[in-house]
Amino acid sequence: MVDTRSATVPDIVSFRVDFADWLASLSRRDRRIAQSLAIGNRTGDVAKRFDVSAARISQLRRELAESWRAFVGETPLPVAV
């Protein structure tokens, strides 16, 4: 999330506020999945916990990453063709 070795205190505070606001914008289920992934749980473990396929968690991970980038105003990554 934030590289604390090079991040300033204002950067870290800003991230924490933005991240909490972004999480609040998600559905309860997606918020719980995002939190589970953010703390480092593996795709397969998250899939089992939420009773979905690992492929669906991978899709959600991508969707959540895109949602985060849009929330903070980052330019979307190019799509491979």
Side-chain angles (χ1 to χ4, degrees):
M1 301 279 171
V2 174
D3 180 0
T4 56
R5 293 168 289 173
S6 63
T8 65
V9 171
D11 289 339
I12 294 169
V13 170
S14 177
F15 167 78
R16 288 183 179 172
V17 169
D18 287 347
F19 191 68
D21 288 348
W22 174 72
L23 284 173
S25 75
L26 302 175
S27 69
R28 182 172 188 263
R29 177 180 164 267
D30 285 354
R31 181 173 46 253
R32 292 175 62 217
I33 290 171
Q35 290 170 319
S36 188
L37 291 169
I39 62 172
N41 288 313
R42 297 179 322 188
T43 300
D45 295 336
V46 175
K48 286 179 188 173
R49 179 174 176 200
F50 291 93
D51 196 29
V52 296
S53 70
R56 180 62 185 137
I57 294 298
S58 291
Q59 290 171 335
L60 281 170
R61 183 191 310 268
R62 219 171 5 264
E63 291 170 14
L64 290 167
E66 290 171 11
S67 171
W68 169 252
R69 283 191 292 277
F71 186 84
V72 296
E74 289 183 7
T75 306
L77 296 175
V79 176
V81 186

